[in-house]
Amino acid sequence: MASGPTPGLDLAGYLTAYPREVTFSDEEPAAVLDRYHTADFELRNDGRLLDREALLAHVRTGRRTATRIEVAVHDTVTSGDRVAARYTLTAVLRR
């Protein structure tokens, strides 16, 4: 069960809370991902499809390099069990 906002109930809240939790939590990234998403989760970002394993690899890199994450949500659409959003995620990285 998700500890924060969920996509179906508060998509904008989820888009701002989840990246921070998966990046900065002391929990394993897979545990955070699994709490929020189903096993068949896929994310399309800038036309690139990220499945669970690709997203976890991306998160592990982010955990080593990110110092801050900011999310600006521009638009959201929810229809049944499908969601879509246009948002900007900015990560500040260590030098």
Side-chain angles (χ1 to χ4, degrees):
M1 179 129 208
S3 61
T6 60
L9 298 176
D10 180 7
L11 183 53
Y14 157 80
L15 290 169
T16 56
Y18 170 74
R20 290 184 185 111
E21 185 174 344
V22 78
T23 304
F24 300 117
S25 171
D26 291 333
E27 273 187 281
E28 286 296 317
V32 178
L33 181 76
D34 291 345
R35 188 168 51 252
Y36 280 90
H37 305 105
T38 59
D40 61 348
F41 172 79
E42 294 178 337
L43 171 72
R44 188 165 301 276
N45 182 31
D46 291 333
R48 181 171 171 233
L49 182 64
L50 297 172
D51 64 8
R52 182 179 188 280
E53 292 310 313
L55 184 58
L56 285 172
H58 178 72
V59 166
R60 288 183 189 104
T61 299
R63 281 186 166 206
R64 289 191 304 271
T65 60
T67 61
R68 186 173 77 231
I69 292 177
E70 297 173 7
V71 178
V73 179
H74 310 294
D75 299 297
T76 63
V77 177
T78 303
S79 178
D81 65 350
R82 299 185 70 165
V83 298
R86 189 174 63 86
Y87 64 99
T88 303
L89 186 150
T90 304
V92 176
L93 306 178
R94 288 179 176 74
R95 293 187 177 246

